Amino acid sequence: MPPLMLESLAADPDALSVQPSFSLPGAHSLPALKEQQELRSGIRHLLGLSTFERLTEELSSLADFIVSTLFAAESRKRRNSGARLAVFALGKYGTREITFDADLDLLFVAGAAGNNGPARMERLASGLMGALT
């Protein structure tokens, strides 16, 4: 949504009823996208356009988008295409019940690799955590 979100919503309140789709157009950053989508989901909930369960699902989907986007970026940055590293969501994130400013509890599991494989996977996981922070 544009920077003047509240003005846009006042002009077209039906825009809130549409399910958000996440993308990262040109100048947007992930923190800006996160803030905009959290605000949008919160307003939808406050206006009674979504249930609490729907709110937590929207926030969980936003977290999925951010984690997967950053994982792909870290993999490209470290030239780890095809990295055998799985990322599991735990806690409220794992049950898709996260709320505003929730922690994302993540578990990393690496597949067997060559001599320097474990160190590469550890650097990838550490890079992802740094990017999320």
Side-chain angles (χ1 to χ4, degrees):
M1 294 202 125
L4 303 174
M5 180 185 282
L6 295 178
E7 288 84 356
S8 298
L9 293 177
D12 183 15
D14 291 333
L16 281 174
S17 62
V18 177
Q19 170 66 29
S21 62
F22 307 119
S23 64
L24 201 55
H28 281 81
S29 66
L30 283 174
L33 175 74
K34 177 184 178 286
E35 288 176 5
Q36 290 173 351
Q37 293 303 321
E38 282 180 337
L39 179 60
R40 182 184 188 285
S41 294
I43 291 171
R44 284 174 36 80
H45 180 65
L46 287 174
L47 293 177
L49 298 173
S50 71
T51 63
F52 182 74
E53 292 77 18
R54 185 73 207 139
L55 170 68
T56 60
E57 176 62 32
E58 287 178 11
L59 295 176
S60 297
S61 294
L62 177 59
D64 289 344
F65 176 79
I66 291 171
V67 170
S68 63
T69 299
L70 289 174
F71 180 80
E74 280 297 313
S75 292
R76 280 191 307 275
K77 176 180 162 183
R78 298 175 187 284
R79 295 184 179 108
N80 270 349
S81 61
R84 298 190 65 183
L85 182 68
V87 182
F88 292 92
L90 305 174
K92 292 291 186 182
Y93 179 29
T95 58
R96 308 203 57 79
E97 299 172 313
I98 63 173
T99 56
F100 300 104
D101 291 329
D103 292 334
L104 298 183
D105 299 320
L106 300 174
L107 172 69
F108 297 93
V109 178
N115 293 341
N116 65 351
R120 271 190 21 222
M121 295 303 108
E122 187 175 335
R123 285 191 300 273
L124 176 58
S126 180
L128 176 58
M129 292 306 295
L132 284 168
T133 302

